[in-house]
Amino acid sequence: MSFGKMKMFSVSHKTVFVVDHCPYMAESSRQQVECDVLTKSRAQGVIPLAPVSKSLWTCAVECSMEYCRILYDVYPKDKLINYIVSDSEFHILNSWRQEDQSIQELMAALAAVGPPNPREDPECCSILHGLVSAVEALCKITELQHEKRTALMDTAERVANRGRIICLTNAKSDTHVRMLEDCIQETILEQNKLAAGSDRLMAIQQCELVLVHIYPQGEDTLVSDRPKKEISPLLTSEVHSVRAGRHLATKLNILVQQHFDLASTTITNIPMKEEQHANTSANYDVELLHHRDAHLEFFKSGDLHMAGTSTRENGLKETVTLKWCTPRTNVIELHYCTGAYRISPTDVNSRPSSCLTNFLLNGRSVLLELPKKSGSKVISHMLSSHGGEIFLHVLNSNRSTLEDPPSISEGCGGRVTDYRITDFGEFMRENRLTPVSENSHNPSGKLPFERAKSQLERYTRYWPMIISQTTIFNMQAVVPLANLIVKETLTEEDVLTCQKTVYNLVDMERKNDPLPISTVGSRGKGPKRDEQYRIMWNELETLVKTHAAATDRHQRVLDCIIACRSKPPEEEERKKRGRKREEREDRTEKNGNKEAEDKSWQESERLKSLLDKEDQESEVIKDSPDSPEPLNKKPRLMAEETQPQERAKGPVSLLTMWTNRITTANSRKHQEFAGRQSSVNNKFELYQHLKEENGMDVHENGKATR
């Protein structure tokens, strides 16, 4: 049976802790703990308490117990721990049975073991005793493994046996570490031989060794860190060199998250009453560990930045920040929940963590929201207890599948509505996945999913999403080339079709045919025809360049485009002259109205000055009492002929000025009527010969008298 089919149990099903109990572990960690800070007032003359420091053994036990506590909180059943202490011999503190899996059992057993004896002979003590016992423990069958083997019967070999060994020791050097790894490798091979002939043992298919070298603060480490390395198909090993104290606690906190797929959530702005001032409250933060699937929606939607992801002090693991939302009622309301995961406080003994857990265990629930700077709040999680255990509930904060699908304008692009929806439907149709029979063979040797990924990559190298961002995909003339150029290989017929498409585009440019250029967001008429074709050729060249390296025939299509774009010099000169002529006509069109208006204005001003002068002369003649009546004079044929019937009052319109100009020009082209020439003040008496026959005199002013 191949290793790939053994999927029943992972490495995290079994974890063996091997803690060194040799005399050198009694050495001080040199991280001092102040004992005098608890006394609020000290009587005069009392000597303050001296600080104390923990031993390497105490640090190792505390940190390993914290590892076990988090594991039991989040996985109370499926994940098992076997704890072994090693000195002159090994001491197994518990078994794989479910009733032995508790912090209380382990703490009671550790109390019986006691601290290391510094006077014991170091030569008799070794961590190897515990490591050999750990390999033997991994070969033992757990209750869950036995159930699976019994249920499967004929296929019992499918039940895999994997495990992890975490060794906390003080190694001497890198050579010492390699010796420990070789010893474990030999022991695994020996135990697998024994397990092959026994029904009560299982051979080890995979073992992970995590060796943590602990050394006092202030000293240089003799063991270097090493990432995970495969020693053999059965054994992988990694080494961590850590200072004792808080550094060791941080390291094991990170390891438990890595080993069991845990994630961190920090709840902020938790209101709490102050002990010293009962009437005031302050906001605190509490960090919780849980399975990483509680953040799955954030990973899917890419909203981890919205959830306030931040790196903690150690800079190795991230925590997602959620904000406390004050509960309005004690009753747990019915929420649309998509998952529930057990939680474990990172700092279980802190006052904020204790207050939060007591608050939840009393039947209250807490809603958690994404911290947003603006907009409505989004409640994403809820904390609540069930049966004495606290769970982090994942609430559905996204659109429900029961709702109508969203409008396309509500997507990532905002209010963009000109998506290439029809083209995208065609794109999906061309890249649809279908089942492939096992007998089908591809000459290239690629697997079907690899071929599918390769085709999808080719089709999306250049694929604008919006209609206004492309020209060639809006042109029916380019469709044959666009469909062929994305193929993995081209035939000679395909190359000819592509070249014919390019020549058709050249012919379109020669005929000056219009192109479907989008003018959205631009003022005026949009780009000129030459500019439109330049944009089209650039985009076409960009499309073909992304595929030109595939085969020589793809390159020939690109060469054809480049050759057609490089026009002969006389063609360029003709285009340049055409552009200059268009610019000149545009300038003439813009300036023509202005020049006509200026000329008309100057003509009207000249006419106005002549009229004013004539008015002044006539007023002098009329107002003088001694002057004789004016003689009958012929009208002037120059400026007087253009005298309007009434002088315009106020500004003169463009139509009036243009009419005056036309009238003046036309008056020079014909002979004036005889009656108008002999008129007085533009008045002429008609039928004068009839009045003369009746004996009436006619005065110069045109009035008859007896």
Side-chain angles (χ1 to χ4, degrees), residues 660-681:
N660 293 340
R661 182 182 178 188
I662 296 298
T663 304
T664 305
N666 291 339
S667 65
R668 298 191 183 100
K669 296 179 182 178
H670 64 81
Q671 188 175 359
E672 190 58 86
F673 295 113
R676 186 173 296 155
Q677 289 178 350
S678 60
S679 65
V680 178
N681 293 334

CSV table of all heavy atoms in Angstrom, one decimal, residues 660-681:
chain,number,residue,atom,x,y,z
A,660,ASN,N,-25.3,95.3,-43.2
A,660,ASN,CA,-24.8,96.6,-43.7
A,660,ASN,C,-23.6,96.4,-44.7
A,660,ASN,O,-23.5,97.1,-45.7
A,660,ASN,CB,-24.3,97.4,-42.5
A,660,ASN,CG,-25.5,97.8,-41.6
A,660,ASN,OD1,-26.6,97.8,-42.0
A,660,ASN,ND2,-25.2,98.2,-40.4
A,661,ARG,N,-22.8,95.4,-44.3
A,661,ARG,CA,-21.6,95.2,-45.2
A,661,ARG,C,-22.1,94.7,-46.6
A,661,ARG,O,-21.6,95.2,-47.6
A,661,ARG,CB,-20.7,94.2,-44.5
A,661,ARG,CG,-19.5,93.9,-45.3
A,661,ARG,CD,-18.6,92.8,-44.7
A,661,ARG,NE,-17.5,92.5,-45.4
A,661,ARG,CZ,-16.6,91.5,-45.2
A,661,ARG,NH1,-16.9,90.8,-44.1
A,661,ARG,NH2,-15.6,91.3,-45.9
A,662,ILE,N,-23.0,93.8,-46.6
A,662,ILE,CA,-23.5,93.3,-47.9
A,662,ILE,C,-24.2,94.4,-48.7
A,662,ILE,O,-24.1,94.6,-49.9
A,662,ILE,CB,-24.5,92.1,-47.7
A,662,ILE,CG1,-23.7,91.0,-47.0
A,662,ILE,CG2,-25.2,91.7,-49.0
A,662,ILE,CD1,-22.6,90.4,-47.9
A,663,THR,N,-25.0,95.3,-48.0
A,663,THR,CA,-25.7,96.4,-48.7
A,663,THR,C,-24.7,97.3,-49.3
A,663,THR,O,-24.9,97.8,-50.4
A,663,THR,CB,-26.6,97.1,-47.7
A,663,THR,OG1,-27.5,96.1,-47.1
A,663,THR,CG2,-27.4,98.2,-48.4
A,664,THR,N,-23.7,97.7,-48.6
A,664,THR,CA,-22.6,98.6,-49.1
A,664,THR,C,-22.0,98.0,-50.3
A,664,THR,O,-21.8,98.7,-51.3
A,664,THR,CB,-21.6,98.9,-48.0
A,664,THR,OG1,-22.2,99.3,-46.9
A,664,THR,CG2,-20.6,99.9,-48.5
A,665,ALA,N,-21.7,96.7,-50.3
A,665,ALA,CA,-21.0,96.1,-51.4
A,665,ALA,C,-21.9,96.0,-52.6
A,665,ALA,O,-21.5,96.3,-53.8
A,665,ALA,CB,-20.5,94.7,-51.0
A,666,ASN,N,-23.2,95.8,-52.4
A,666,ASN,CA,-24.2,95.7,-53.5
A,666,ASN,C,-24.5,97.0,-54.1
A,666,ASN,O,-24.8,97.1,-55.3
A,666,ASN,CB,-25.4,95.0,-53.0
A,666,ASN,CG,-25.2,93.5,-52.7
A,666,ASN,OD1,-24.3,92.9,-53.2
A,666,ASN,ND2,-26.1,92.9,-51.9
A,667,SER,N,-24.4,98.1,-53.3
A,667,SER,CA,-24.8,99.4,-53.8
A,667,SER,C,-23.8,99.9,-54.9
A,667,SER,O,-24.1,100.8,-55.7
A,667,SER,CB,-24.9,100.4,-52.7
A,667,SER,OG,-23.6,100.6,-52.1
A,668,ARG,N,-22.6,99.4,-54.9
A,668,ARG,CA,-21.6,99.8,-55.8
A,668,ARG,C,-21.7,99.0,-57.2
A,668,ARG,O,-21.0,99.3,-58.1
A,668,ARG,CB,-20.2,99.5,-55.3
A,668,ARG,CG,-19.9,100.3,-54.0
A,668,ARG,CD,-18.4,100.2,-53.7
A,668,ARG,NE,-18.1,100.9,-52.4
A,668,ARG,CZ,-17.9,100.3,-51.3
A,668,ARG,NH1,-18.1,99.0,-51.2
A,668,ARG,NH2,-17.6,101.0,-50.2
A,669,LYS,N,-22.6,98.1,-57.2
A,669,LYS,CA,-22.6,97.2,-58.4
A,669,LYS,C,-23.8,97.6,-59.4
A,669,LYS,O,-23.9,96.9,-60.4
A,669,LYS,CB,-22.8,95.7,-57.9
A,669,LYS,CG,-21.6,95.2,-57.1
A,669,LYS,CD,-21.9,93.8,-56.7
A,669,LYS,CE,-20.7,93.3,-55.9
A,669,LYS,NZ,-21.0,91.9,-55.4
A,670,HIS,N,-24.6,98.6,-59.1
A,670,HIS,CA,-25.7,99.0,-60.0
A,670,HIS,C,-25.9,100.5,-60.0
A,670,HIS,O,-25.5,101.2,-59.0
A,670,HIS,CB,-27.0,98.2,-59.6
A,670,HIS,CG,-27.6,98.7,-58.2
A,670,HIS,ND1,-28.3,99.8,-58.0
A,670,HIS,CD2,-27.4,98.1,-57.0
A,670,HIS,CE1,-28.6,99.9,-56.8
A,670,HIS,NE2,-28.1,98.9,-56.1
A,671,GLN,N,-26.6,101.0,-61.0
A,671,GLN,CA,-26.9,102.4,-61.1
A,671,GLN,C,-28.1,102.8,-60.3
A,671,GLN,O,-29.1,102.1,-60.3
A,671,GLN,CB,-27.2,102.8,-62.6
A,671,GLN,CG,-27.2,104.3,-62.9
A,671,GLN,CD,-27.4,104.6,-64.3
A,671,GLN,OE1,-27.4,103.7,-65.1
A,671,GLN,NE2,-27.5,105.8,-64.7
A,672,GLU,N,-28.0,103.9,-59.6
A,672,GLU,CA,-29.0,104.3,-58.7
A,672,GLU,C,-30.2,104.8,-59.5
A,672,GLU,O,-30.1,105.4,-60.6
A,672,GLU,CB,-28.5,105.5,-57.8
A,672,GLU,CG,-29.5,105.8,-56.6
A,672,GLU,CD,-29.8,104.7,-55.7
A,672,GLU,OE1,-29.0,104.4,-54.8
A,672,GLU,OE2,-30.8,104.0,-56.0
A,673,PHE,N,-31.4,104.6,-58.9
A,673,PHE,CA,-32.7,105.1,-59.5
A,673,PHE,C,-32.7,106.6,-59.6
A,673,PHE,O,-32.2,107.3,-58.7
A,673,PHE,CB,-33.9,104.6,-58.7
A,673,PHE,CG,-34.1,103.1,-58.7
A,673,PHE,CD1,-33.9,102.4,-57.6
A,673,PHE,CD2,-34.4,102.5,-59.9
A,673,PHE,CE1,-34.1,101.0,-57.6
A,673,PHE,CE2,-34.6,101.1,-60.0
A,673,PHE,CZ,-34.4,100.4,-58.8
A,674,ALA,N,-33.3,107.1,-60.8
A,674,ALA,CA,-33.3,108.6,-61.0
A,674,ALA,C,-34.1,109.3,-59.9
A,674,ALA,O,-33.8,110.4,-59.5
A,674,ALA,CB,-33.9,108.9,-62.4
A,675,GLY,N,-35.2,108.7,-59.5
A,675,GLY,CA,-36.1,109.3,-58.4
A,675,GLY,C,-35.3,109.4,-57.1
A,675,GLY,O,-35.4,110.5,-56.5
A,676,ARG,N,-34.5,108.4,-56.8
A,676,ARG,CA,-33.8,108.5,-55.5
A,676,ARG,C,-32.7,109.5,-55.6
A,676,ARG,O,-32.4,110.2,-54.6
A,676,ARG,CB,-33.2,107.1,-55.1
A,676,ARG,CG,-32.6,107.1,-53.8
A,676,ARG,CD,-32.2,105.7,-53.4
A,676,ARG,NE,-33.3,104.8,-53.3
A,676,ARG,CZ,-33.3,103.5,-53.4
A,676,ARG,NH1,-32.2,102.9,-53.8
A,676,ARG,NH2,-34.4,102.8,-53.2
A,677,GLN,N,-32.1,109.7,-56.8
A,677,GLN,CA,-31.1,110.7,-57.0
A,677,GLN,C,-31.6,112.1,-56.8
A,677,GLN,O,-30.9,113.0,-56.3
A,677,GLN,CB,-30.4,110.5,-58.3
A,677,GLN,CG,-29.6,109.3,-58.5
A,677,GLN,CD,-29.0,109.1,-59.8
A,677,GLN,OE1,-29.3,109.9,-60.8
A,677,GLN,NE2,-28.0,108.1,-60.0
A,678,SER,N,-32.9,112.4,-57.3
A,678,SER,CA,-33.4,113.8,-57.2
A,678,SER,C,-34.3,114.0,-56.0
A,678,SER,O,-35.0,115.0,-55.9
A,678,SER,CB,-34.2,114.0,-58.5
A,678,SER,OG,-35.3,113.1,-58.6
A,679,SER,N,-34.3,113.0,-55.1
A,679,SER,CA,-35.2,113.1,-53.9
A,679,SER,C,-34.6,114.1,-52.9
A,679,SER,O,-33.4,114.4,-52.9
A,679,SER,CB,-35.4,111.8,-53.3
A,679,SER,OG,-34.1,111.3,-52.7
A,680,VAL,N,-35.5,114.6,-52.0
A,680,VAL,CA,-35.1,115.5,-50.9
A,680,VAL,C,-35.4,114.7,-49.6
A,680,VAL,O,-36.6,114.3,-49.4
A,680,VAL,CB,-35.9,116.8,-51.0
A,680,VAL,CG1,-35.5,117.7,-49.8
A,680,VAL,CG2,-35.7,117.5,-52.3
A,681,ASN,N,-34.3,114.6,-48.8
A,681,ASN,CA,-34.5,113.8,-47.6
A,681,ASN,C,-35.0,112.4,-47.8
A,681,ASN,O,-35.9,111.9,-47.1
A,681,ASN,CB,-35.3,114.5,-46.6
A,681,ASN,CG,-34.6,115.8,-46.1
A,681,ASN,OD1,-33.4,115.9,-46.1
A,681,ASN,ND2,-35.4,116.8,-45.7
